[in-house]
Amino acid sequence: MDRYVTGAVIRELREKKKLTQEELAEKIYVSGKAVSKWETGQGFPDISLLEPLAEALGISVIELLSGEDIRNRNQSANMAKGKFYVCPVCGNVIRTTGETVISCCGITLPPLEPEEADAAHRIQKDVVEDEYYVTVKHPMTKDHYISFLAGVSDQGVQLVKLYPEGNAEARFRINRVKTIYAYCNRHGLFQLKI
């Protein structure tokens, strides 16, 4: 794991809950001195305390480790502000409609940052009746392939999971699709704005 809870985060979250160091310490069965040491950077809470600490602060362990209370930020989220996340262990693809903390297979996943498609990842879109027929001229080997194609509109996401040694192609209903994405397992997320 590349992150651990910091004293500044503990202090900020404790103050938001209007708890003193002693009150927080009582909730998780440690001394007030221990909480003070954490908050001043003279020590860290034991890993066995992360769950009770997060519960006492009213957030999840993932939020505690990320240093952010991300709940309720998605009140006005929309599809255009969405993010893709891909687990490097199991290949899960997750799409959100705003900021969040995503964890899969014990890893906190970073959001993918889409780039304009380059020559090696060119996304081709043709209209066939009421659909976009999308292809990517890209190697599809066991080690290097397009993992998924997605068509995103203001109403939702159409996602097609692809597999190595198959074809990098999909069909999406045209209805309000504004962006098409292609994810290369080696080079990341590429987009074609429509």
Side-chain angles (χ1 to χ4, degrees):
M1 184 169 291
D2 62 349
R3 293 186 180 174
Y4 201 74
V5 64
T6 65
V9 168
I10 295 170
R11 179 176 40 252
E12 181 183 334
L13 294 170
R14 176 183 59 77
E15 289 172 351
K16 279 184 184 176
K17 292 289 282 186
K18 299 186 182 350
L19 294 171
T20 66
Q21 289 180 344
E22 286 295 327
E23 290 169 332
L24 177 59
E26 287 176 20
K27 288 179 174 276
I28 60 174
Y29 306 105
V30 297
S31 69
K33 192 173 186 176
V35 173
S36 177
K37 282 185 174 184
W38 301 339
E39 290 186 2
T40 58
Q42 297 174 12
F44 294 102
D46 185 78
I47 196 162
S48 65
L49 293 172
L50 291 183
E51 193 170 335
L53 180 59
E55 186 176 326
L57 296 170
I59 63 172
S60 70
V61 172
I62 292 171
E63 290 170 308
L64 180 63
L65 291 172
S66 75
E68 295 182 60
D69 180 0
I70 50 87
R71 292 171 299 144
N72 296 326
R73 280 199 200 153
N74 293 336
Q75 297 286 334
S76 62
N78 64 44
M79 297 309 293
K81 294 180 181 177
K83 304 276 185 196
F84 282 101
Y85 299 80
V86 175
C87 178
V89 177
C90 69
N92 274 341
V93 178
I94 301 145
R95 171 73 179 183
T96 65
T97 57
E99 294 295 322
T100 188
V101 177
I102 300 291
S103 179
C104 189
C105 296
I107 302 167
T108 300
L109 305 177
L112 298 174
E113 295 297 329
E115 300 175 27
E116 293 303 316
D118 58 18
H121 300 91
R122 188 168 154 262
I123 301 169
Q124 177 68 41
K125 159 192 73 74
D126 296 307
V127 176
V128 178
E129 296 180 4
D130 63 343
E131 296 179 318
Y132 288 130
Y133 174 62
V134 177
T135 57
V136 180
K137 301 270 190 244
H138 187 279
M140 292 294 283
T141 66
K142 287 182 181 179
D143 298 323
H144 188 195
Y145 56 93
I146 299 297
S147 176
F148 71 85
L149 295 169
V152 177
S153 73
D154 59 348
Q155 296 180 329
V157 177
Q158 302 171 62
L159 188 135
V160 176
K161 183 78 169 113
L162 305 173
Y163 297 95
E165 301 180 302
N167 294 325
E169 62 184 16
R171 290 179 178 264
F172 301 117
R173 291 180 313 280
I174 290 176
N175 190 22
R176 299 167 78 153
V177 169
K178 300 291 184 212
T179 310
I180 295 173
Y181 294 94
Y183 177 72
C184 173
N185 72 321
R186 285 195 183 168
H187 300 107
L189 189 65
F190 297 91
Q191 68 182 0
L192 171 67
K193 298 243 185 218
I194 299 174

